[in-house]
Short mmCIF file of all heavy atoms in Angstrom, two decimals:
data_model
loop_
_atom_site.label_atom_id
_atom_site.label_comp_id
_atom_site.label_asym_id
_atom_site.label_seq_id
_atom_site.Cartn_x
_atom_site.Cartn_y
_atom_site.Cartn_z
N CYS A 7 2.27 14.00 0.16
CA CYS A 7 0.88 14.10 -0.32
C CYS A 7 0.79 14.90 -1.62
O CYS A 7 -0.08 15.75 -1.79
CB CYS A 7 -0.03 14.71 0.75
SG CYS A 7 -0.12 13.72 2.26
N ILE A 21 -10.71 25.45 -13.54
CA ILE A 21 -11.71 26.50 -13.29
C ILE A 21 -11.29 27.80 -13.98
O ILE A 21 -12.12 28.50 -14.57
CB ILE A 21 -11.91 26.69 -11.78
CG1 ILE A 21 -12.66 25.47 -11.21
CG2 ILE A 21 -12.69 27.98 -11.48
CD1 ILE A 21 -12.65 25.39 -9.71
N THR A 36 -29.67 32.97 -19.59
CA THR A 36 -30.04 32.20 -18.41
C THR A 36 -30.50 33.10 -17.28
O THR A 36 -31.51 32.83 -16.62
CB THR A 36 -28.83 31.35 -17.93
OG1 THR A 36 -28.53 30.37 -18.93
CG2 THR A 36 -29.12 30.66 -16.61
N ILE A 46 -38.22 27.90 -9.97
CA ILE A 46 -37.04 27.32 -10.60
C ILE A 46 -36.84 25.91 -10.03
O ILE A 46 -36.82 25.72 -8.82
CB ILE A 46 -35.79 28.18 -10.31
CG1 ILE A 46 -36.01 29.61 -10.81
CG2 ILE A 46 -34.55 27.57 -10.98
CD1 ILE A 46 -35.07 30.61 -10.21
N SER A 72 -37.44 28.11 -5.37
CA SER A 72 -36.66 27.06 -6.01
C SER A 72 -36.95 25.70 -5.39
O SER A 72 -37.25 25.60 -4.20
CB SER A 72 -35.16 27.36 -5.90
OG SER A 72 -34.76 27.45 -4.55
N ASP A 87 -42.33 28.27 -15.54
CA ASP A 87 -41.22 27.87 -14.67
C ASP A 87 -39.96 27.63 -15.49
O ASP A 87 -40.01 27.46 -16.71
CB ASP A 87 -41.58 26.59 -13.91
CG ASP A 87 -42.75 26.80 -12.94
OD1 ASP A 87 -42.94 27.94 -12.48
OD2 ASP A 87 -43.46 25.82 -12.67
N VAL A 89 -36.58 25.08 -15.61
CA VAL A 89 -35.98 23.84 -15.14
C VAL A 89 -34.50 23.86 -15.52
O VAL A 89 -34.17 24.08 -16.68
CB VAL A 89 -36.67 22.60 -15.76
CG1 VAL A 89 -35.98 21.32 -15.32
CG2 VAL A 89 -38.16 22.57 -15.38
N ARG A 106 -37.13 16.42 -21.39
CA ARG A 106 -38.14 16.35 -22.45
C ARG A 106 -39.54 16.64 -21.89
O ARG A 106 -40.35 17.32 -22.53
CB ARG A 106 -38.13 14.97 -23.11
CG ARG A 106 -36.91 14.72 -23.98
CD ARG A 106 -37.09 13.43 -24.78
NE ARG A 106 -35.90 13.10 -25.51
CZ ARG A 106 -34.95 12.28 -25.07
NH1 ARG A 106 -35.06 11.73 -23.86
NH2 ARG A 106 -33.89 12.01 -25.82
N LYS A 109 -39.98 20.32 -21.36
CA LYS A 109 -40.24 20.99 -22.64
C LYS A 109 -41.67 20.74 -23.11
O LYS A 109 -42.31 21.65 -23.66
CB LYS A 109 -39.23 20.51 -23.69
CG LYS A 109 -37.81 20.95 -23.45
CD LYS A 109 -37.66 22.47 -23.52
CE LYS A 109 -37.93 22.98 -24.93
NZ LYS A 109 -37.83 24.47 -25.00
N ASP A 110 -42.19 19.53 -22.92
CA ASP A 110 -43.57 19.21 -23.29
C ASP A 110 -44.56 20.06 -22.52
O ASP A 110 -45.60 20.48 -23.04
CB ASP A 110 -43.86 17.72 -23.05
CG ASP A 110 -43.16 16.81 -24.05
OD1 ASP A 110 -42.71 17.32 -25.10
OD2 ASP A 110 -43.04 15.61 -23.78
N ASP A 123 -23.44 19.50 -27.49
CA ASP A 123 -23.97 18.73 -28.61
C ASP A 123 -24.54 17.40 -28.14
O ASP A 123 -24.37 16.36 -28.77
CB ASP A 123 -22.87 18.49 -29.66
CG ASP A 123 -22.41 19.77 -30.32
OD1 ASP A 123 -23.26 20.62 -30.61
OD2 ASP A 123 -21.19 19.93 -30.51
N SER A 124 -25.23 17.46 -27.02
CA SER A 124 -25.83 16.27 -26.40
C SER A 124 -27.34 16.34 -26.51
O SER A 124 -27.90 17.31 -27.01
CB SER A 124 -25.43 16.21 -24.92
OG SER A 124 -25.89 17.38 -24.25
N ARG A 139 -13.76 17.57 -18.60
CA ARG A 139 -13.84 16.13 -18.70
C ARG A 139 -14.99 15.61 -17.83
O ARG A 139 -15.06 15.89 -16.65
CB ARG A 139 -12.51 15.56 -18.18
CG ARG A 139 -12.18 14.18 -18.57
CD ARG A 139 -10.74 13.91 -18.14
NE ARG A 139 -10.51 14.26 -16.75
CZ ARG A 139 -10.71 13.44 -15.73
NH1 ARG A 139 -11.16 12.24 -15.95
NH2 ARG A 139 -10.45 13.83 -14.51
N GLU A 149 -10.11 4.70 -18.94
CA GLU A 149 -9.33 3.96 -19.92
C GLU A 149 -7.85 3.96 -19.56
O GLU A 149 -7.18 2.93 -19.61
CB GLU A 149 -9.53 4.55 -21.32
CG GLU A 149 -8.76 3.80 -22.40
CD GLU A 149 -9.01 4.34 -23.78
OE1 GLU A 149 -10.15 4.77 -24.06
OE2 GLU A 149 -8.06 4.36 -24.57
N SER A 170 -18.74 22.95 -12.08
CA SER A 170 -20.12 23.43 -12.15
C SER A 170 -20.57 24.02 -10.82
O SER A 170 -21.31 25.01 -10.79
CB SER A 170 -21.07 22.30 -12.58
OG SER A 170 -21.04 21.22 -11.68
N ALA A 190 -27.60 40.56 4.83
CA ALA A 190 -28.71 40.42 5.79
C ALA A 190 -29.91 39.74 5.14
O ALA A 190 -30.60 38.93 5.78
CB ALA A 190 -29.10 41.78 6.34
N ARG A 195 -33.08 34.36 5.29
CA ARG A 195 -33.75 33.18 4.72
C ARG A 195 -32.97 31.90 5.00
O ARG A 195 -33.35 30.83 4.54
CB ARG A 195 -33.91 33.35 3.20
CG ARG A 195 -34.73 34.57 2.81
CD ARG A 195 -34.96 34.65 1.31
NE ARG A 195 -35.58 35.91 0.94
CZ ARG A 195 -34.92 36.97 0.51
NH1 ARG A 195 -33.60 36.94 0.38
NH2 ARG A 195 -35.56 38.09 0.21
N LEU A 199 -33.44 26.02 11.81
CA LEU A 199 -33.57 24.73 12.52
C LEU A 199 -32.43 23.80 12.10
O LEU A 199 -32.60 22.83 11.39
CB LEU A 199 -34.92 24.09 12.19
CG LEU A 199 -36.15 24.92 12.58
CD1 LEU A 199 -37.43 24.19 12.16
CD2 LEU A 199 -36.17 25.16 14.09
#
Side-chain angles (χ1 to χ4, degrees):
C7 298
I21 289 167
T36 295
I46 303 162
S72 60
D87 296 332
V89 177
R106 289 190 186 94
K109 292 296 294 178
D110 289 343
D123 294 319
S124 60
R139 199 171 51 88
E149 181 177 324
S170 60
R195 300 184 188 96
L199 300 178

